[in-house]
Amino acid sequence: QFLTELTRLFQKCRTSGSVFITLKKYDGRTKPVPRKGHVESFEPADNKCLLRATDGKRKISTVVSSKEVNKFQMAYSNLLRANMDGLKKKDKKSKNKKSKATQ
Amino acid sequence: MPHYQAWEEFTRAAEKLYLADPMKVRVVLKYRHSDGNLCIKVTDDVACLLYRTDQAQDVKKIEKFHSQLMRLMVAKESRSAAMETD
């Protein structure tokens, strides 16, 4: 599902550009808030968040709830860390080995 | 739009901002492999906090913080669900 797509997104962008990820709390609203006093009888759910990812061209998104968050987080953290590895490594002694970004 | 240099300050300010109004705050993470850097932004559409890095050691911190925020967002539900491990 979402995680596979996210992996693919990261892989695709390795050579080109940016990956944007957005995290936002979600209250389960599917209809816009009505202007007149017509109150919608829906239950605002407080335990979900919305996660989006895009590479500028394609957009993917998913809703994460408290039930899924544990499993999702583990996979998601690994994904983030595995993919954001193009950054400089700070070493005290920089040997003459040039750190090549392996693609 | 303050750019934070100290990670500690950033996380403290970001968490405060989120707790002030959880519904409004969103977190944006931007990674650029070609530039080799990572940028995290927390905003409630009024204030905006920004932190940029190109250090591998920060990736772990940022990713952990991101997970923390995710947990905060899903945490309001009945405790029993969170306690149970399925």
Side-chain angles (χ1 to χ4, degrees):
Chain A
Q1 27 114 332
F2 179 74
L3 290 169
T4 347
E5 289 302 317
L6 188 58
T7 314
R8 246 190 273 159
L9 239 181
F10 267 111
Q11 281 167 349
K12 209 160 61 90
C13 294
R14 253 164 132 51
T15 44
S16 59
S18 359
V19 179
F20 292 82
I21 298 181
T22 317
L23 177 67
K24 195 173 171 161
K25 193 162 160 56
Y26 178 59
D27 65 351
R29 234 191 286 242
T30 47
K31 302 197 211 144
V33 180
R35 256 179 260 161
K36 289 277 171 96
H38 178 98
V39 172
E40 289 280 332
S41 56
F42 81 106
E43 299 261 318
D46 205 5
N47 62 323
K48 295 202 252 278
C49 71
L50 188 60
L51 191 61
R52 289 203 190 98
T54 175
D55 62 350
K57 304 271 171 56
R58 233 163 68 85
K59 256 171 101 152
I60 57 179
S61 66
T62 189
V63 176
V64 184
S65 65
S66 49
K67 275 259 163 83
E68 308 162 344
V69 75
N70 282 321
K71 210 169 40 145
F72 183 81
Q73 264 202 334
M74 263 183 7
Y76 179 68
S77 308
N78 289 337
L79 195 59
L80 280 190
R81 261 180 297 151
N83 286 300
M84 299 187 176
D85 62 347
L87 277 61
K88 299 205 193 106
K89 298 206 177 40
K90 206 176 188 160
D91 22 28
K92 296 217 186 109
K93 289 194 260 207
S94 47
K95 307 215 167 135
N96 8 350
K97 249 207 294 195
K98 289 200 222 139
S99 52
K100 255 204 320 207
T102 44
Q103 236 99 44
Chain B
M1 175 163 111
H3 281 241
Y4 281 79
Q5 300 294 332
W7 176 247
E8 268 293 309
E9 283 182 37
F10 175 79
T11 47
R12 257 183 296 148
E15 222 180 293
K16 220 169 72 157
L17 194 65
Y18 173 73
L19 291 173
D21 194 343
M23 269 321 288
K24 292 196 81 185
V25 171
R26 69 173 183 281
V27 181
V28 184
L29 195 67
K30 179 162 102 161
Y31 170 67
R32 282 191 68 88
H33 187 81
S34 43
D35 292 343
N37 67 2
L38 182 62
C39 166
I40 183 169
K41 179 161 94 170
V42 181
T43 176
D44 66 346
D45 295 330
V46 173
C48 170
L49 316 165
L50 191 56
Y51 183 80
R52 268 202 295 226
T53 181
D54 60 349
Q55 301 284 337
Q57 62 180 355
D58 284 336
V59 170
K60 192 154 145 203
K61 291 194 252 193
I62 290 179
E63 163 269 307
K64 246 173 61 170
F65 181 62
H66 197 74
S67 303
Q68 249 177 299
L69 287 176
M70 203 188 303
R71 277 183 173 279
L72 282 176
M73 292 180 182
V74 301
K76 289 300 180 59
E77 181 56 8
S78 49
R79 290 302 159 72
S80 51
M83 292 304 206
E84 268 171 64
T85 47
D86 46 315

